[in-house]
Amino acid sequence: MSTEIAPMTGNLPASPLPFGHDASAGSSVGTTNPLHRILSAFKRFAWLIILLTAVGAATGWGMTRFMLPKYVVQGNIFLEARGGNSGPVEADPFLEGAQWLELIKNPQVLDWVVKDQRLYIVGPNPGPGTPTREGPTGPDAALFSEFDIEDQFIPGRYELSFAADGKSWELKHVTRPDLTDKGLVGDSAGRKVGMKWVPRPKQRMFGKDFSFTLLTPREVSNRVADALSTNIGRTRGSRFVGVTYDGTDAVRTARTLNSILDRFVLQAATLKSASLVSTTSVLDSQLLAAELSMRDADLALQDFKINTVTAPREDAPIPGGLQMTTGYTYGSYMGLRMVSDSLRRDRRQLADLLGRAQTGGLVADQLLAIGIVRNSPQLSQAIGQLGKLESDLRSMMGPTGMLDSIRQVKDQRAAIAQMRDVTLQQLGRAVLSRIDNELTDLDQRIGSTAREMRSIPQRSLTESRLQNELDLARQTHAQVRGRAELARLQRASSLPDVKVLNYAVAPLEASKNKKMVIIILGVLGGLGAGLGLAFLLDLLDGRFRYADQVTKGLGLSILGVVPEIRRAKGKGASAEEAAQVVEAFRTIRLNLSHVFPESGSISMTVTSPMPGDGKSLVSSNLALSFAEAGYKTLLIDGDTRRGELHRTFGTQRRPGLLDHLAGDLEWTDAIRTTSHPKLTLMPAGSRHRNAPELMGSRKMHELHATLRQKYEVIIIDSPPLAAGIDPFVLGTVSGNLMLVVRAGSTERDLAEAKLQVIDRLPIRLVGAVLNDVNTSMDEYKYYAYNYSYGTTEEDEELVQLPATIT
């Protein structure tokens, strides 16, 4: 191998660890692949990702310790398809469609089940994960076998203590000491807080405390409703409703669901029966009113006949032809008067009922009792629809009004209001207008007929009118009686709309086991948090780690990259590592030789933003590389504050650069030869407080001009930019500045701030060198060199030949 790199050769001193620590690199100009950058961040923070993933897995596992198994039970309800014109007499279904699903989750059903199954009790001695809707749990659950509550009780957390001899107990509310109750075993406990309970402890409970919590039944019923799920399936005239429920105890869960199913069927039957009773009651009331109306009409006719039975008759013999004419005229007149009187009476009743309809007092059956309404198809149809809507509303509401908040009830009320206040009013006014026209025509015809029959007795007209009213009352009574009898028959023959098809059975194994899912979610959550945090830390990292942070962030071209030197870190170095470093400095040398013009010498200052970035290591090895290429090279230690290049090359620091600038020492006496014939070193010399002023003096510029005539390459190693003014002064002397940036160490904000100062000085930035780069990282792997294609000496090949050829 070539002895070009100082740390790798035996001719030159060891690597200058005190200055650059370790160097690294790869070289490249371009943009870092975003995927490579992300992968690099993940590799760099692999410990954090692994840690958070482990924390997520542990958290998921810890959560499963408090999880109870889930048992899912199912029952089925059969919904009968009732109503229709065929088959036996039967009432229409009480509810339709989704209304059944709302009823099964209604508090009227679930509140009763919660109280019956004592689901409002949490405990005794509840621990983490204790269910809040399954009643007493644990080995001491039998203590609450006779527990009950009043309609008004005080919920909260309670503690029950038994004396060591088992003869007395003490019950206290945890947050309200004033509610404490004491007594002997066998006495009722908790009367003042609304409990109906006689604690009966077993011997093993003596001297122990038991805590439990009482929730409100409505609170628990809401939770039970959330755990209930229903599904309706349709099959040819009948429907099946599947009801599922979950819990942590298989037997108790099945028992609770079966209680819900039984209560649901009972409540549905009760509501339907109440609806039929309400409908029958309304029709009985209407039948009674029709009977009274018919009796009044009959009494009026009989009274009239009795009062006129002794009056002299006005019948007189009339000639045959005149008698026929008089009979026809009389009949025509009486018919017109009867029609007119009937129309006027019907008009008054219709106008009165339409007025009452606006206040909500309308009864559909009263409208149908009016003759003109029955003769109006549109109005009769609308009244029939209104009556059905009102009957359906009464069926929905029931006697207790428990479904008043259901959306279908609200829609039903809106439909009734629309029919009563808009449709009936419009149709009623149209009928009234038609009646007015008919009455006007009838009045004209009656007046004409009256003039033809002045001799017809008034009592005949009255008797005919009373008879007509009686006939009409009989017809109305017959209609209402038929509807009432039908309603009573429907009530007597009514069958339940629902029944339980299959009860729930307690399963042997848990149906829902999410422990593994939670653990996996914990692992994924921890992994996601670790990846996200690693990416965030990478974005917030203020140090140089990628090539584009130099090219785009600082606007500098990258002259080359120096790979990590393990020997500089006290580790064993390999031949491959030496080859990588040699090729890295050859690349930098090649780029620099084309940055400067072909004629004239190369002179530049090497610096870095921070101490420890490896500028001295890069300077010394770059100078050696130029010397290996045949350039007469001078390396000047311009770091007059802490320069250590004399140690690197094994020579004396004094006399040196500052000795020449401060006195009469010739520059030729300040230089040192090295192990390489083409490389000369000028050490820093004696320390001076005014070293920056000396380096910026005219004598320094004259020295630089003289040296450029003597040497082909002049490399000045300066202090870091953060150290003071020295690197800026030396940069103005050489006119060129090369920046060394250490990957993963140099702060970007500091470098940007210092470069802003250089922008205002007559200094040309020739580029940057990335130092201490791990070429195994994805973003730098293309900057490494193929060791198998390295350079060798002819003699080395001859020595190796026998070992490689068989």
Side-chain angles (χ1 to χ4, degrees):
M1 293 297 294
S2 171
T3 59
E4 185 171 354
I5 300 303
M8 302 300 165
T9 66
N11 296 333
L12 291 179
S15 174
L17 289 177
F19 314 118
H21 300 285
D22 51 57
S24 66
S27 90
S28 147
V29 177
T31 301
T32 302
N33 190 319
L35 180 59
H36 289 168
R37 178 169 181 174
I38 294 174
L39 293 177
S40 175
F42 292 163
K43 289 181 179 179
R44 190 165 70 255
F45 295 102
W47 62 271
L48 178 62
I49 297 173
I50 295 174
L51 176 62
L52 291 181
T53 302
V55 171
T59 302
W61 180 83
M63 293 176 61
T64 60
R65 303 297 297 174
F66 300 101
M67 290 184 58
L68 297 175
K70 290 290 185 180
Y71 296 92
V72 178
V73 296
Q74 180 174 354
N76 294 286
I77 298 174
F78 181 73
L79 307 181
E80 294 284 356
R82 304 218 181 270
N85 297 324
S86 60
V89 176
E90 173 58 34
D92 292 334
F94 173 61
L95 295 176
E96 295 290 342
Q99 295 176 351
W100 289 110
L101 305 185
E102 295 187 22
L103 177 60
I104 199 171
K105 294 185 177 182
N106 192 274
Q108 198 74 6
V109 174
L110 298 183
D111 283 358
W112 185 90
V113 175
V114 168
K115 292 182 180 179
D116 180 65
Q117 299 294 322
R118 302 183 182 88
L119 304 183
Y120 53 84
I121 301 175
V122 182
N125 298 328
T130 300
T132 58
R133 53 176 173 83
E134 296 193 10
T137 57
D140 301 319
L143 186 63
F144 295 87
S145 59
E146 300 180 8
F147 189 91
D148 201 358
I149 53 175
E150 302 284 356
D151 293 336
Q152 299 294 328
F153 75 102
I154 299 177
R157 184 182 176 187
Y158 291 87
E159 290 185 356
L160 177 66
S161 304
F162 292 104
D165 56 4
K167 295 182 179 180
S168 62
W169 51 260
E170 181 181 9
L171 178 66
K172 59 183 179 180
H173 195 284
V174 173
T175 59
R176 294 186 58 182
D178 58 300
L179 299 177
T180 301
D181 191 10
K182 298 180 180 180
L184 300 176
V185 172
D187 295 341
S188 296
R191 289 184 176 180
K192 61 173 64 176
V193 295
M195 297 182 187
K196 295 188 291 184
W197 185 27
V198 179
R200 303 186 186 279
K202 298 181 180 179
Q203 186 174 1
R204 60 182 177 82
M205 300 179 181
F206 295 169
K208 295 183 178 180
D209 299 335
F210 301 91
S211 63
F212 61 95
T213 301
L214 296 184
L215 305 175
T216 60
R218 181 58 52 86
E219 179 183 5
V220 180
S221 65
N222 291 336
R223 298 177 185 178
V224 172
D226 293 336
L228 277 175
S229 60
T230 55
N231 181 31
I232 294 182
R234 297 180 178 274
T235 58
R236 293 188 180 181
S238 64
R239 291 175 295 175
F240 295 91
V241 178
V243 185
T244 59
Y245 182 66
D246 65 76
T248 60
D249 184 277
V251 176
R252 185 181 292 109
T253 302
R255 186 170 62 243
T256 300
L257 179 58
N258 292 335
S259 179
I260 293 174
L261 296 179
D262 289 336
R263 183 63 183 179
F264 166 71
V265 172
L266 177 61
Q267 192 67 26
T270 301
L271 291 176
K272 181 176 182 180
S273 176
S275 175
L276 293 175
V277 169
S278 176
T279 302
T280 304
S281 177
V282 171
L283 290 175
D284 288 342
S285 176
Q286 295 178 3
L287 179 61
L288 179 60
E291 290 178 350
L292 294 175
S293 177
M294 181 179 65
R295 186 185 62 181
D296 292 342
D298 184 58
L299 291 176
L301 178 60
Q302 296 302 326
D303 290 343
F304 176 79
K305 289 183 177 180
I306 292 173
N307 293 333
T308 59
V309 69
T310 58
R313 298 188 61 84
E314 298 178 2
D315 298 339
I318 302 175
L322 183 59
Q323 183 178 7
M324 182 180 297
T325 302
T326 301
Y328 172 78
T329 302
Y330 179 79
S332 175
Y333 175 81
M334 292 300 296
L336 292 175
R337 285 297 301 269
M338 291 174 61
V339 171
S340 176
D341 291 343
S342 177
L343 286 177
R344 294 182 188 279
R345 182 177 63 257
D346 290 350
R347 189 189 187 286
R348 286 193 303 270
Q349 293 179 358
L350 178 59
D352 179 62
L353 290 178
L354 290 178
R356 290 168 55 189
Q358 295 179 346
T359 61
L362 177 64
V363 178
D365 294 321
Q366 296 179 2
L367 280 172
L368 292 176
I370 302 175
I372 58 175
V373 173
R374 294 195 302 272
N375 295 332
S376 176
Q378 293 181 347
L379 185 58
S380 298
Q381 183 179 2
I383 293 172
Q385 294 177 358
L386 177 60
K388 177 119 179 14
L389 290 174
E390 289 178 340
S391 177
D392 292 344
L393 177 61
R394 288 192 297 270
S395 299
M396 291 180 184
M397 294 293 295
T400 60
M402 57 163 265
L403 299 178
D404 190 51
S405 60
I406 292 181
R407 179 171 55 81
Q408 286 82 354
V409 173
K410 297 180 180 179
D411 295 342
Q412 195 79 356
R413 290 184 182 277
I416 291 175
Q418 174 70 19
M419 180 66 71
R420 184 185 61 236
D421 300 336
V422 179
T423 305
L424 284 183
Q425 296 294 331
Q426 293 176 351
L427 295 175
R429 286 192 294 269
V431 172
L432 291 176
S433 176
R434 178 172 56 81
I435 292 175
D436 291 340
N437 295 333
E438 292 181 1
L439 287 175
T440 301
D441 181 65
L442 285 174
D443 290 341
Q444 293 177 356
R445 294 170 61 187
I446 289 173
S448 174
T449 306
R451 289 190 293 270
E452 298 178 3
M453 45 171 299
R454 298 181 182 276
S455 59
I456 297 178
Q458 182 66 29
R459 65 173 180 273
S460 298
L461 297 176
T462 302
E463 182 179 356
S464 177
R465 176 178 60 80
L466 293 176
Q467 183 64 45
N468 182 63
E469 291 178 354
L470 177 59
D471 295 339
L472 183 61
R474 288 173 176 171
Q475 294 177 7
T476 302
H477 176 266
Q479 292 176 356
V480 175
R481 182 177 61 185
R483 295 182 58 192
E485 291 177 351
L486 178 61
R488 283 191 291 270
L489 184 59
Q490 289 177 342
R491 176 183 173 184
S493 60
S494 177
L495 298 175
D497 289 341
V498 296
K499 65 179 180 180
V500 178
L501 189 62
N502 299 112
Y503 283 100
V505 178
L508 297 178
E509 297 182 357
S511 302
K512 294 182 179 180
N513 190 350
K514 297 184 178 180
K515 291 185 177 181
M516 185 57 64
V517 175
I518 291 178
I519 293 177
I520 294 175
L521 290 178
V523 172
L524 295 179
L527 178 61
L531 295 176
L533 185 57
F535 185 69
L536 178 62
L537 291 176
D538 182 72
L539 291 178
L540 299 178
D541 192 354
R543 292 166 291 184
F544 288 98
R545 293 193 180 275
Y546 309 102
D548 57 358
Q549 292 175 336
V550 176
T551 57
K552 293 183 179 180
L554 299 182
L556 299 179
S557 61
I558 297 178
L559 300 173
V561 293
V562 180
E564 178 184 11
I565 301 177
R566 290 185 293 171
R567 179 177 173 181
K569 296 182 178 180
K571 302 177 182 179
S574 63
E576 180 180 358
E577 178 183 312
Q580 295 288 339
V581 176
V582 169
E583 294 297 337
F585 280 102
R586 282 174 176 168
T587 302
I588 300 172
R589 183 189 68 198
L590 177 63
N591 288 331
L592 286 173
S593 65
H594 289 82
V595 169
F596 293 90
E598 295 182 2
S599 60
S601 61
I602 297 174
S603 178
M604 66 179 181
T605 300
V606 178
T607 187
S608 63
M610 300 170 56
D613 287 338
K615 61 175 183 57
S616 296
L617 181 63
V618 172
S619 299
S620 59
N621 285 275
L622 182 60
L624 184 58
S625 180
F626 272 107
E628 285 282 342
Y631 291 88
K632 187 178 181 180
T633 305
L634 175 63
L635 175 61
I636 300 175
D637 190 354
D639 190 354
T640 58
R641 300 171 186 260
R642 297 182 180 178
E644 297 289 338
L645 287 180
H646 62 282
R647 297 182 185 276
T648 303
F649 291 91
T651 185
Q652 297 295 322
R653 176 168 56 86
R654 297 177 296 177
L657 174 62
L658 290 181
D659 296 297
H660 169 70
L661 297 177
D664 296 331
L665 181 71
E666 294 295 331
W667 68 269
T668 55
D669 296 331
I671 61 176
R672 309 283 192 277
T673 60
T674 65
S675 59
H676 198 287
K678 290 287 186 178
L679 178 60
T680 304
L681 172 67
M682 180 179 286
S686 303
R687 308 295 188 193
H688 284 274
R689 291 183 179 274
N690 61 342
E693 286 75 14
L694 291 175
M695 288 187 293
S697 64
R698 179 184 297 276
K699 193 172 183 178
M700 179 64 185
H701 286 275
E702 293 174 353
L703 174 62
H704 181 261
T706 302
L707 295 176
R708 294 196 67 170
Q709 297 176 0
K710 301 294 183 180
Y711 295 93
E712 296 176 285
V713 176
I714 300 174
I715 297 176
I716 304 174
D717 180 23
S718 76
L721 296 174
I725 196 176
D726 301 33
F728 303 102
V729 172
L730 293 175
T732 58
V733 171
S734 64
N736 302 289
L737 188 69
M738 185 180 76
L739 191 68
V740 177
V741 176
R742 184 169 185 154
S745 178
T746 305
E747 296 181 3
R748 288 183 289 165
D749 292 341
L750 174 62
E752 292 176 0
K754 297 302 179 181
L755 290 184
Q756 291 178 1
V757 178
I758 296 177
D759 291 339
R760 297 190 291 270
L761 299 175
I763 301 174
R764 182 180 68 146
L765 285 168
V766 297
V769 173
L770 280 177
N771 186 28
D772 198 19
V773 173
N774 185 357
T775 54
S776 64
M777 298 173 63
D778 290 337
E779 63 270 25
Y780 292 117
K781 64 182 180 180
Y782 299 114
Y783 302 147
Y785 303 96
N786 193 329
Y787 173 67
S788 64
Y789 213 73
T791 60
T792 59
E793 295 288 346
E794 185 71 24
D795 294 340
E796 295 176 0
E797 294 178 355
L798 293 176
V799 172
Q800 296 174 0
L801 193 59
T804 57
I805 297 178
T806 59

